Amino acid sequence: MHTVVERELELHLVLSPEHSIPVPARLSYRADDPYAVRIVFHVGSDHPVQWTFARELLVEGVFRPCGHGDVRVWPTKVGGRSVVLMALSSPDGDALLEAPAAQVTAWLERTLRAVPPGTEAGQLGIDAGLADLLAPRLSASLDQTGAPSPDDLWLRDPWPSDESADGEPS
């Protein structure tokens, strides 16, 4: 079972320097996808809008401007409050969202405790999967007489090699 860290919060869609509208959102992090964070926006449509980007981008964006292209994140103050701004760009349009810095930071800290930086690759199980894939299956490949089973014969190269075992042509 993998850890899931979620938080519901209210972001503000910035329409102009003087006007913004509240947008309910959910921050989501899954240990089985350890490099990514998701933000799901509930915008009153049949299907919520979801953005997925690097957790590291959001972690850095809490402290200093970062990102380029589709996702940019930076800290600032608005009306004396610390906020994190997220500029999102897609073919459907652009959005500037304001999030309360304290809530985003507290949620990020929970994700960092669940999967500390530098340990993400271990969550993916790549090494174990490769070991299983590459492990010899001796018991499965031999029949009761010790000969290769008919099921595994199809795996063999039907053409004999042009080289000997030591790499020299035969």
Side-chain angles (χ1 to χ4, degrees), residues 6-142:
E6 292 187 323
R7 169 137 198 179
E8 298 282 337
L9 69 145
E10 185 175 272
L11 304 181
H12 284 88
L13 176 62
V14 179
L15 302 175
S16 72
E18 303 83 30
H19 189 65
S20 66
I21 57 173
V23 177
R26 182 177 63 245
L27 299 173
S28 181
Y29 177 79
R30 296 178 52 94
D32 62 343
D33 190 6
Y35 293 105
V37 295
R38 288 170 184 74
I39 302 177
V40 178
F41 304 101
H42 307 284
V43 292
S45 66
D46 289 339
H47 303 287
V49 176
Q50 177 176 293
W51 277 78
T52 302
F53 53 92
R55 175 176 73 163
E56 185 177 328
L57 177 68
L58 190 55
V59 168
E60 185 175 343
V62 166
F63 298 104
R64 67 188 133 280
C66 66
H68 61 281
D70 294 345
V71 180
R72 293 176 291 124
V73 183
W74 66 97
T76 193
K77 293 225 183 244
V78 173
R81 296 176 299 116
S82 293
V83 297
V84 176
L85 292 176
M86 292 176 276
L88 307 176
S89 180
S90 79
D92 294 328
D94 300 325
L96 179 60
L97 294 148
E98 177 185 300
Q103 291 178 17
V104 172
T105 300
W107 175 78
L108 278 171
E109 287 174 356
R110 288 176 49 215
T111 74
L112 295 170
R113 282 193 302 272
V115 179
T119 66
E120 295 94 346
Q123 298 292 315
L124 297 174
I126 293 173
D127 291 338
L130 280 174
D132 286 347
L133 181 65
L134 299 175
R137 295 186 352 227
L138 293 177
S139 61
S141 63
L142 301 177

